[in-house]
Amino acid sequence: MAVYTELAAETLEAFLGTYEIGTLVSFHGIAEGVENSNFLLRTTEGDFILTLFERRVNAAELPWFLGLMQHLAGRGLNCPLPVSDRSGTALRILADRPAAITTFLPGVSATQLDAGLCLELGKALATLHLAGEGYEAVRPNALSASAWGPLLDSCGESGDALAPGLTAEVRAALQKIEAAWPAVDELPRGQIHADLFPDNVFFQNGQVSGLIDFYFACTDFLAYDLAICLNAWCFRNEKTFEPSFAAAVLQGYQSIRPLCEAEKSALPVLCQGAAIRFLLTRLYDWINTPADALVTRKDPLAYLLRLRHFADMKHV
Amino acid sequence: MAVYTELAAETLEAFLGTYEIGTLVSFHGIAEGVENSNFLLRTTEGDFILTLFERRVNAAELPWFLGLMQHLAGRGLNCPLPVSDRSGTALRILADRPAAITTFLPGVSATQLDAGLCLELGKALATLHLAGEGYEAVRPNALSASAWGPLLDSCGESGDALAPGLTAEVRAALQKIEAAWPAVDELPRGQIHADLFPDNVFFQNGQVSGLIDFYFACTDFLAYDLAICLNAWCFRNEKTFEPSFAAAVLQGYQSIRPLCEAEKSALPVLCQGAAIRFLLTRLYDWINTPADALVTRKDPLAYLLRLRHFADMKHV
């Protein structure tokens, strides 16, 4: 559930006066996004999303995110395009928060996945990776392999309350993953989404109509983004691996950007890494979020199952 | 902040298949409404609001509310029009909850009130009252004068923690109001909104473009609805009575439906009654809502100030 900053219509009308996107017709706070307040705006010119950045997102990094979206949209990707005001500025301040208006994307997220949707997802991910070429600014991945050990340490043994022996199992898996993790120059790198779960992908008539929520995007191995999607899209009921879904993601991806041999070889460890990354952040949130809090806690154990699955794989 | 039922796109698409309002383009849970889950739907035919009724609203009363909105919209009032499915049914079940789709209304709520907006509000309220004529089904006001004593009793002396002596002051005021309250046949009755606060009124270009949230509507004195608006619209910063706002509400109202002498005489006590009604429900919610709960508690004392104000008035 989203955090909301209340916004008066008069404040918003004055704010819109500094843009050239028409005058306000209606606006509604929308439920998407845990990190930020999002409003669906209708103006006399069309529909837009207004985001007020509330927390977690480091304000100093916002220009990188907005610049990436402008770059991607400029290359034809269906992602939110940050709209600049009359002075050419996209990152503004509203209600004492960093704020940006982006274009509105039609489409709906899928919750009943199938191989057809996975094929389209794979194509969209590869299209995103190619569109990212030429955006030279680097944003290191704050949740990369080097972050996982400290994250696990910060959880202490608390995970054992969820599943006996969890901490020891994850620690052993992490050591293997760290030992096998590719060196920085071993695999092609670029701008990755790093959180392309089904709720961040809009479909319309079976085609991808939009990719959203770029606030985990960073510069890392392209194939790691694919590994995240194999975790996020290819388990039925959060539990059962669907080989046909994974094959479809890979087929779709490679129809746009074929993987090199080094990427293919690295995929099992990248998938394990992605599993442990979401396992650890979910575990951290589980421990640090009161059971009765606003935000729905996501079950870390779903990613323990994925970690085990990918640890047993010789190739994807 | 709203309660949310999560809704899968596939579930919604199947649901929309039983209507003739096009196919789903996008949907977003919106933040409006504390009682219900509301979604802004876009279909290939236009925009709609989907409401899932969560709590407080008695499902058995929903046909009355939806029927009233259909009646009012049919008479040209800018209110949400419940949309019927192919079988002619507007009240449906979705995600195990009563559900209804209504038309979408453009416009934004005002937070910076002025006499011009109050004039338009007064006109809109009178228009609503006239449009309600001919809707014969009666819904008694569950929060009418007879409910206030028991509501106050249920709060015990808890209000004294908010303001010393509050309980005794309200009890004394209530006795006076009950003694002076008009008999059922003394004033014109009809269908009233009963909660026409600024957040339930949309404006566009200075004109009322929509009245929403009819789930407190009931059959009561028409002038009591006006008294609620005088409480809700005519105090600056929730504190200072603005005679020019009240004059504008009355002028606007009477330009469409002139008050009779009995209504004019009764207005001071009706205004006190409206003040005590919101004071008591806010007090009840204050006592029964944890300070750290989801819902923002509204300060009951704002209505103690209104109660005192209207108790000192000889005429409105």
Side-chain angles (χ1 to χ4, degrees):
Chain A
M1 190 175 282
V3 176
Y4 289 110
T5 294
E6 297 224 358
L7 199 56
E10 297 85 350
T11 306
L12 183 53
E13 281 165 348
F15 184 72
L16 284 178
T18 63
Y19 289 79
E20 285 183 337
I21 55 171
T23 58
L24 190 61
V25 172
S26 69
F27 76 107
H28 298 272
I30 60 176
E32 276 103 300
V34 174
E35 315 291 333
N36 304 315
S37 293
N38 288 297
F39 298 86
L40 179 51
L41 310 187
R42 173 165 298 176
T43 75
T44 47
E45 302 279 313
D47 291 309
F48 301 89
I49 298 285
L50 166 68
T51 301
L52 302 184
F53 299 96
E54 298 283 352
R55 61 187 184 110
R56 283 212 192 184
V57 174
N58 178 349
E61 295 190 314
L62 290 172
W64 188 88
F65 297 125
L66 299 181
L68 176 62
M69 289 188 275
Q70 285 171 328
H71 178 89
L72 295 172
R75 290 190 147 213
L77 194 82
N78 289 327
C79 73
L81 171 64
V83 177
S84 296
D85 65 15
R86 284 205 180 84
S87 76
T89 308
L91 181 58
R92 299 281 307 275
I93 300 286
L94 182 63
D96 294 326
R97 287 156 180 78
I101 292 176
T102 63
T103 51
F104 172 86
L105 297 175
V108 297
S109 302
T111 56
Q112 291 167 26
L113 304 181
D114 59 36
L117 295 175
C118 286
L119 184 80
E120 297 306 318
L121 176 273
K123 290 185 198 169
L125 181 70
T127 304
L128 163 65
H129 288 169
L130 297 183
E133 290 177 1
Y135 189 65
E136 301 297 344
V138 167
R139 178 177 182 260
N141 187 353
L143 290 168
S144 68
S146 60
W148 302 333
L151 200 50
L152 179 59
D153 292 343
S154 76
C155 295
E157 308 288 322
S158 306
D160 292 12
L162 273 169
L166 181 137
T167 306
E169 181 177 351
V170 174
R171 194 174 302 282
L174 180 55
Q175 284 172 355
K176 282 190 190 174
I177 293 167
E178 286 174 339
W181 200 251
V184 70
D185 56 357
E186 277 184 75
L187 301 178
R189 296 168 63 83
Q191 310 303 1
I192 71 169
H193 185 284
D195 196 39
L196 202 56
F197 278 69
D199 53 342
N200 288 331
V201 180
F202 291 163
F203 287 96
Q204 210 173 5
N205 304 320
Q207 305 292 309
V208 172
S209 60
L211 306 179
I212 63 165
D213 201 352
F214 282 78
Y215 302 106
F216 284 99
C218 54
T219 314
D220 205 336
F221 300 134
L222 298 177
Y224 179 58
D225 224 6
L226 185 56
I228 290 171
C229 287
L230 291 168
N231 273 268
W233 288 75
C234 303
F235 289 78
R236 207 182 277 277
N237 303 320
E238 287 267 46
K239 280 182 189 163
T240 313
F241 180 67
E242 282 286 347
S244 67
F245 290 11
V249 171
L250 286 163
Q251 186 193 333
Y253 189 90
Q254 296 204 87
S255 72
I256 306 287
R257 178 182 174 271
L259 295 170
C260 66
E261 287 308 314
E263 287 177 309
K264 288 181 190 171
S265 307
L267 258 185
V269 71
L270 295 176
C271 286
Q272 294 165 51
I276 218 162
R277 172 256 184 267
F278 288 101
L279 193 166
L280 288 171
T281 51
R282 284 186 174 200
L283 181 62
Y284 182 88
D285 289 345
W286 192 274
I287 294 165
N288 294 287
T289 306
D292 60 351
L294 260 159
V295 176
T296 307
R297 301 188 301 179
K298 292 177 181 168
D299 184 2
L301 298 184
Y303 279 84
L304 183 62
L305 294 177
R306 286 164 167 76
L307 177 61
R308 288 172 181 164
H309 170 80
F310 289 116
D312 288 341
M313 282 195 112
K314 292 305 169 214
H315 62 276
V316 176
Chain B
M1 191 175 282
V3 176
Y4 289 112
T5 293
E6 297 225 356
L7 198 56
E10 296 86 351
T11 306
L12 182 54
E13 281 166 348
F15 184 72
L16 284 178
T18 63
Y19 289 80
E20 286 184 336
I21 56 172
T23 59
L24 189 61
V25 173
S26 68
F27 77 107
H28 298 272
I30 60 176
E32 277 103 299
V34 174
E35 314 291 333
N36 304 315
S37 292
N38 289 295
F39 298 86
L40 179 52
L41 311 187
R42 173 166 297 178
T43 76
T44 48
E45 303 279 313
D47 291 308
F48 300 89
I49 298 285
L50 166 68
T51 301
L52 302 183
F53 298 96
E54 299 282 351
R55 60 186 184 109
R56 281 214 194 185
V57 173
N58 178 349
E61 296 190 315
L62 289 172
W64 189 89
F65 296 125
L66 298 181
L68 175 64
M69 289 189 274
Q70 285 171 328
H71 178 90
L72 295 171
R75 292 189 146 215
L77 193 83
N78 289 326
C79 74
L81 171 63
V83 177
S84 296
D85 65 14
R86 285 206 179 85
S87 75
T89 308
L91 181 58
R92 298 283 307 276
I93 300 286
L94 182 63
D96 294 326
R97 287 158 179 78
I101 294 176
T102 62
T103 52
F104 172 86
L105 298 174
V108 296
S109 303
T111 55
Q112 291 166 27
L113 304 180
D114 59 37
L117 295 175
C118 287
L119 184 79
E120 297 305 319
L121 175 274
K123 289 184 198 170
L125 182 70
T127 303
L128 163 65
H129 289 169
L130 296 183
E133 291 176 0
Y135 189 65
E136 300 299 344
V138 167
R139 179 177 182 260
N141 186 352
L143 290 167
S144 69
S146 60
W148 302 335
L151 200 50
L152 179 58
D153 291 344
S154 76
C155 294
E157 309 287 321
S158 305
D160 293 12
L162 273 171
L166 180 136
T167 306
E169 180 177 351
V170 174
R171 194 175 301 282
L174 180 54
Q175 284 171 353
K176 283 190 189 173
I177 294 168
E178 286 174 338
W181 199 251
V184 72
D185 56 356
E186 278 185 75
L187 300 179
R189 295 168 65 83
Q191 311 302 1
I192 71 169
H193 185 284
D195 196 38
L196 203 55
F197 277 68
D199 52 344
N200 287 331
V201 180
F202 291 163
F203 287 96
Q204 211 173 4
N205 304 319
Q207 304 293 308
V208 173
S209 59
L211 305 180
I212 64 164
D213 202 351
F214 282 78
Y215 302 105
F216 284 99
C218 54
T219 314
D220 206 339
F221 299 134
L222 298 177
Y224 178 59
D225 223 7
L226 185 57
I228 290 171
C229 287
L230 292 168
N231 272 269
W233 289 75
C234 304
F235 289 78
R236 206 184 278 277
N237 302 321
E238 287 267 45
K239 282 183 188 163
T240 314
F241 181 68
E242 281 287 346
S244 67
F245 290 11
V249 170
L250 286 163
Q251 184 193 332
Y253 189 89
Q254 296 205 87
S255 72
I256 306 288
R257 177 182 175 271
L259 295 170
C260 67
E261 286 309 313
E263 289 177 308
K264 287 181 190 168
S265 306
L267 259 186
V269 72
L270 295 176
C271 286
Q272 293 165 51
I276 217 162
R277 172 256 184 269
F278 288 101
L279 193 166
L280 288 172
T281 51
R282 286 187 174 200
L283 181 62
Y284 182 89
D285 289 344
W286 192 274
I287 294 165
N288 293 288
T289 306
D292 60 352
L294 261 159
V295 177
T296 308
R297 300 188 301 180
K298 292 176 180 169
D299 185 2
L301 298 183
Y303 280 83
L304 184 62
L305 294 176
R306 284 163 168 77
L307 177 62
R308 288 172 180 163
H309 169 81
F310 288 117
D312 288 341
M313 280 195 114
K314 292 304 168 214
H315 62 277
V316 176

